Amino acid sequence: MNGPTFTIDGRSVPFTEGQSIIQAAREAGIYIPHLCYHPEFRPHGSCRLCVVEAGGRSVPACSTPAVAGQQVRNRTERLDRMRRTLVELLFVEGNHFCPACPKSGNCKLQAVGYWLRMLDTPFPYLFPRRELDASHHDVLLDRDRCIFCELCVRASREVDRKNLFAIGGKGTRCRLLVNSPDGRLGSSGLSLGDRALQVCPTGALLPRKGAFHVPVGRRLYDGRSIAESDE
Ligand code: SF4
Ligand code: FES
């Protein structure tokens, strides 16, 4: 049976009614960069990395439904330049010291930076002061590495049913908040098996033990680009 199709950069992509552009693209093996999107959760639409051109407009692929016959452009110089700028801004707004981070090689922010060929940034580093939370026996919360994608917020609420996280503050004062009696991870009820911990795309929420079980050089994005290893 022939279903509806649209195109991405000239390639025909089948979809089912109600699917977003990014969902159909993933099924067709086409990578559209993203950081706040995860197939298990409703789109959040905050990172804007997934913006594509469709119907003469720039739209987020994670929350825009696919339309039959539509021509979508994903890999254009303009879009990739905009994505690179967004990633550069994430790097200067936080404190991302990749070579010293245990998540290096498994981090989506780092991997998408490589994929976009980001080498440096023209923006001044802000070096914000953010509180490190090492109060939990098994998990470290390093707010320096948080990109406010709210994946942990959604996972803790919708999968773990614990509602442990929220984002507070605005702009450069944005912080990940922990919903516990003293606002710290140690008293929060977070456990190692929580989905919230697993979906964090960066090293912000990180198991404290076993960070180097898989050696650097053999990690998810060490040998392949994020476009080939997208989860
Ligand atoms: Fe996203 Fe991780 Fe920050 Fe949660 S802790 S908002 S999952 S980067
Ligand atoms: Fe669409 Fe972040 S993935 S806005």
Side-chain angles (χ1 to χ4, degrees):
M1 194 176 75
N2 285 336
T5 61
F6 67 112
T7 65
I8 299 181
D9 296 334
R11 189 173 142 190
S12 178
V13 177
F15 71 99
T16 50
E17 238 20 88
Q19 264 189 328
S20 65
I21 293 173
I22 205 168
Q23 283 173 324
R26 286 169 65 85
E27 282 182 17
I30 296 172
Y31 175 66
I32 297 177
H34 55 273
L35 282 170
C36 69
Y37 172 77
H38 190 288
E40 276 176 48
F41 303 102
R42 274 191 298 276
H44 185 240
S46 59
C47 77
R48 312 309 282 179
L49 274 192
C50 70
V51 164
V52 293
E53 293 168 9
R57 293 186 306 135
S58 296
V59 295
C62 66
S63 54
T64 304
V67 173
Q70 194 161 58
Q71 295 177 4
V72 172
R73 298 177 80 201
N74 174 37
R75 296 304 310 278
T76 72
E77 213 179 301
R78 185 186 78 86
L79 287 173
D80 278 354
R81 201 168 45 239
M82 184 197 74
R83 291 162 174 159
R84 201 157 41 239
T85 299
L86 290 170
V87 173
E88 285 170 359
L89 287 170
L90 286 173
F91 268 88
V92 301
E93 284 167 9
N95 295 302
H96 301 280
F97 305 114
C98 299
C101 178
K103 187 91 174 200
S104 184
N106 285 327
C107 170
K108 290 193 178 182
L109 176 67
Q110 181 193 45
V112 85
Y114 277 128
W115 186 79
L116 289 165
R117 300 184 187 282
M118 177 193 152
L119 296 173
D120 199 355
T121 166
F123 305 112
Y125 283 87
L126 300 180
F127 298 121
R129 292 179 70 89
R130 296 182 185 166
E131 193 195 348
L132 180 86
D133 186 339
S135 60
H136 195 288
H137 187 256
D138 297 317
V139 181
L140 184 73
L141 169 57
D142 188 337
R143 289 186 172 87
D144 281 345
R145 304 170 184 152
C146 180
I147 56 170
F148 311 112
C149 64
E150 290 205 16
L151 276 168
C152 60
V153 178
R154 287 175 276 170
S156 184
R157 188 176 55 222
E158 294 164 29
V159 180
D160 306 328
R161 304 280 176 201
K162 294 183 180 176
N163 201 17
L164 295 186
F165 300 105
I167 305 289
K170 287 202 171 125
T172 53
R173 291 177 184 271
C174 235
R175 295 289 183 274
L176 185 74
L177 305 176
V178 179
N179 183 15
S180 71
D182 59 1
R184 287 159 66 80
L185 214 53
S187 58
S188 70
L190 181 79
S191 36
L192 264 181
D194 282 8
R195 197 71 184 118
L197 178 58
Q198 296 156 2
V199 294
C200 179
T202 69
L205 277 170
L206 205 63
R208 297 181 73 154
K209 296 169 200 137
F212 291 95
H213 276 170
V214 178
V216 172
R218 283 197 233 144
R219 297 178 174 194
L220 190 59
Y221 308 120
D222 282 341
R224 295 183 299 166
S225 78
I226 192 168
E228 298 161 298
S229 322
D230 190 29
E231 293 173 311

